Amino acid sequence: MAGEKKSPIRRRDRAAVVVLGDIGRSPRMQYHALSLARQAFLEVDIVAYGGSEPHTSVLEHPLIHIHKMPQWPTSAQSLQKILRPLMLMLKPIVQFLVLLWYLCVKIPAPDVFIVQNPPSVPTLVGVKWASWLRHSAFIVDWHNFGYTLLALSLGRSSYFVSLYHWIEKRYGKMAHGSLCVTRAMQHELAENWGIKATVLYDQPPEFFRPASLEEKHKLSCRISKSLSQPSGFQDCISSGMIESDNNDLNETPFTSQLGTDIFLKQNGPALIVSSTSWTPDEDFSILLEAALMYDRRVAALLNEDDSTRDEVVWKEIYDGKQFSYPRLLFIITGKGPEKEKYEQTIRKLSLKRVAFRTMWLSAEDYPLLLGSADLGVCLHTSSSGLDLPMKVVDMFGCGLPVCAVSYSCIKELVEVEKNGLLFSSSLELADELMMLFKGFPEKCDALKKLRMGLMERVSSARWATEWEENAKPLISKVISENFS
């Protein structure tokens, strides 16, 4: 009949989580999917690229379905140098069409799309179109600003950066709701973008926790091949493993097993973990310079000179001699464009008491590595100055104190001398390593104080609680308003 109101669209009890990236390397969006399924009892479709495996809890949840889109072909990379402007325009058009096909055809219509930003182009455009076509709500989870990341490679004055910024702002304002990662970003969105956002701090899920001694031993056994092969040369870690026979699963650089009993070695190395995407916004040279300074300072304090051969020091360590400062083993996890460049730099360093390993761990082993470590190092500086590094959140969840690069809003996460320390140069980081590891493992009071301060805060700060208090009310409100 004329003038009769259209009946409202019925709720579908379904949500779609959208990531124009590797879902295995997008932990926050994995946690969104888990919470939507566990806490909101919604069927969840994840639309993303493949690459790395998500956590087992995501893969095995009966309400979560992963749809992997085909990626932009890598063979096009060689053309980009010649025809870069054309590729910059062609790539997002192809990505937009593929994304729209998946969101409008390949998955059932959801009540709400929750999309990660960045990348902004073509993601925000594609999701907005899909939300209109499928009569769904649309929420943006602001991790950072995409135009600031693009500016790292093209420069702030680039026409493409300006266009990207305009699209990001225009389509970001079209969302029915917004989440963001810091109060500083919330303020920026409100003041300069006209967007009201709810702060949803990153918090670790339950599988990020301190590891037991048995778990540390078993993990060290599983990664023993990576630990014993430092890219074709010998160092303070591989030397001991060669001596002790690295096929012996009762011995690792950190632990020994006698029967069913596992012991922590008193002269074992301190384990320091840093997770990186090997991109320009993380200056890895700061860590390398600090490690070199630590190595030289310890040698000077022990009255060693350049004539003291490395093998002599390593033999003393293997024979059980303890020093006031330990060896440091840095395990650097992650994938990215500058990895090979820094690996070549590491191979050229001459270090007696410091060793580096680069590796990629499964989603199950990564939390165990953090839970087994003695210190975390974060080199993230943020292209916008408004986001926080999730890697630090994961480290805190495992009870791991952190030394982090200082920038504008990092103190929203790192409380100096309570759960970590900040540094602005390699010299400051070297000073912190010397202070924290003096007397390791038993008499390193400064490190123990940080760990104790952190553990007091860890138990109450979990993702499920944060999501229940901040994200769930927004999502429920947006869905209700869209279907009313």
Side-chain angles (χ1 to χ4, degrees):
M1 291 174 62
E4 185 177 297
K5 287 187 177 180
K6 293 175 71 175
S7 60
I9 299 165
R10 295 181 61 184
R11 288 276 301 269
R12 302 117 176 186
D13 294 324
R14 199 172 195 104
V17 174
V18 184
V19 183
L20 203 70
D22 183 344
I23 185 59
R25 298 171 68 183
S26 305
R28 182 175 167 104
M29 303 312 284
Q30 292 183 54
Y31 306 158
H32 269 305
L34 283 170
S35 291
L36 287 163
R38 290 173 175 174
Q39 295 167 251
F41 310 107
L42 297 176
E43 199 98 10
V44 182
D45 294 292
I46 298 176
V47 178
Y49 293 140
S52 309
E53 281 292 289
H55 195 273
T56 305
S57 56
V58 175
L59 293 172
E60 295 180 353
H61 199 289
L63 294 180
I64 298 176
H65 317 281
I66 299 176
H67 308 265
K68 295 180 181 179
M69 297 180 290
Q71 297 194 46
W72 180 253
T74 54
S75 58
Q77 298 295 326
S78 58
L79 294 174
Q80 289 187 23
K81 295 178 182 178
I82 307 167
L83 303 170
R84 186 169 178 79
L86 178 61
M87 289 299 108
L88 283 171
M89 290 185 287
L90 184 60
K91 181 178 178 180
I93 291 171
V94 173
Q95 289 178 322
F96 170 77
L97 294 173
V98 172
L99 179 63
L100 204 61
W101 172 259
Y102 270 76
L103 299 185
C104 293
V105 179
K106 297 280 283 184
I107 67 170
D111 295 324
V112 62
F113 289 102
I114 301 177
V115 57
Q116 172 184 300
N117 185 78
S120 317
V121 179
T123 327
L124 297 185
V125 184
V127 176
K128 175 56 188 173
W129 281 36
S131 73
W132 174 64
L133 290 168
R134 310 207 77 173
H135 306 285
S136 305
F138 163 34
I139 292 174
V140 179
D141 189 11
W142 297 84
H143 298 194
N144 200 346
F145 295 134
Y147 82 95
T148 63
L149 291 170
L150 186 63
L152 290 175
S153 57
L154 299 183
R156 290 266 180 168
S157 60
S158 167
Y159 168 77
F160 288 106
V161 172
S162 299
L163 178 61
Y164 198 104
H165 185 194
W166 182 84
I167 295 171
E168 185 173 22
K169 185 174 181 178
R170 179 174 175 81
Y171 280 87
K173 291 174 73 172
M174 292 180 183
H176 298 98
S178 289
L179 297 165
C180 65
V181 295
T182 65
R183 298 206 179 280
M185 184 176 287
Q186 180 189 48
H187 179 78
E188 170 68 15
L189 285 167
E191 292 296 313
N192 298 318
W193 295 58
I195 294 172
K196 182 182 177 182
T198 299
V199 177
L200 176 67
Y201 281 119
D202 285 321
Q203 298 290 357
E206 69 282 356
F207 42 81
F208 282 92
R209 56 173 178 75
S212 67
L213 187 59
E214 181 181 3
E215 287 173 325
K216 181 172 184 175
H217 179 75
K218 288 182 177 179
L219 175 66
S220 299
C221 291
R222 284 200 296 276
I223 64 174
S224 62
K225 187 174 181 180
S226 298
L227 294 177
S228 65
Q229 295 179 345
S231 304
F233 64 93
Q234 205 166 331
D235 60 21
C236 63
I237 301 299
S238 62
S239 176
M241 295 185 76
I242 291 169
E243 292 279 352
S244 63
D245 178 10
N246 56 36
N247 291 318
D248 182 3
L249 295 184
N250 293 323
E251 290 285 332
T252 79
F254 314 100
T255 54
S256 295
Q257 182 169 1
L258 186 61
T260 57
D261 295 323
I262 298 172
F263 304 94
L264 195 66
K265 292 181 177 179
Q266 289 302 298
N267 70 335
L271 176 56
I272 303 175
V273 176
S274 184
S275 177
T276 178
S277 53
W278 302 100
T279 51
D281 66 340
E282 295 186 344
D283 186 358
F284 197 70
S285 63
I286 293 175
L287 180 57
L288 297 186
E289 290 167 7
L292 189 61
M293 289 181 198
Y294 175 92
D295 196 68
R296 300 294 185 263
R297 287 187 194 179
V298 173
L301 286 171
L302 297 175
N303 297 316
E304 295 173 357
D305 56 36
D306 293 339
S307 64
T308 307
R309 293 175 59 233
D310 295 349
E311 290 79 3
V312 174
V313 175
W314 299 339
K315 183 70 165 60
E316 289 178 336
I317 293 170
Y318 177 70
D319 288 341
K321 184 175 180 179
Q322 286 188 252
F323 297 91
S324 53
Y325 290 90
R327 292 168 290 158
L328 302 183
L329 172 58
F330 290 89
I331 293 184
I332 316 299
T333 69
K335 299 176 182 177
E338 297 196 338
K339 180 180 177 182
E340 189 174 331
K341 181 185 84 172
Y342 281 114
E343 284 180 331
Q344 290 175 356
T345 303
I346 290 169
R347 282 193 283 269
K348 294 174 183 176
L349 296 176
S350 177
L351 300 166
K352 278 189 175 74
R353 287 181 169 80
V354 179
F356 285 87
R357 299 291 185 272
T358 59
M359 58 182 73
W360 176 259
L361 295 171
S362 70
E364 287 68 44
D365 278 348
Y366 178 63
L368 288 175
L369 177 67
L370 298 186
S372 302
D374 301 296
L375 182 71
V377 173
C378 176
L379 300 167
H380 178 80
T381 54
S382 174
S383 61
S384 65
L386 298 171
D387 68 315
L388 293 172
M390 192 163 187
K391 66 194 79 177
V392 173
V393 175
D394 294 339
M395 291 171 181
F396 284 169
C398 293
L400 184 62
V402 171
C403 291
V405 170
S406 181
Y407 65 93
S408 55
C409 68
I410 190 66
K411 289 184 180 179
E412 286 191 42
L413 181 59
V414 178
E415 299 177 65
V416 177
E417 296 186 359
K418 291 184 179 179
N419 57 15
L421 299 172
L422 300 177
F423 61 89
S424 299
S425 66
S426 54
L427 180 62
E428 289 181 7
L429 178 56
D431 290 341
E432 291 170 2
L433 294 175
M434 295 293 292
M435 177 189 69
L436 292 173
F437 288 108
K438 183 178 181 181
F440 182 87
E442 298 297 334
K443 298 178 181 179
C444 47
D445 295 337
L447 183 62
K448 287 182 178 180
K449 181 182 176 183
L450 288 181
R451 191 177 283 275
M452 286 176 61
L454 181 56
M455 292 307 294
E456 291 173 3
R457 295 164 171 76
V458 162
S459 58
S460 61
R462 288 291 168 183
W463 171 266
T465 305
E466 180 78 10
W467 195 89
E468 187 77 24
E469 292 177 357
N470 296 292
K472 188 176 179 181
L474 174 69
I475 294 167
S476 299
K477 179 186 175 187
V478 163
I479 292 174
S480 296
E481 289 177 350
N482 191 58
F483 288 92
S484 61

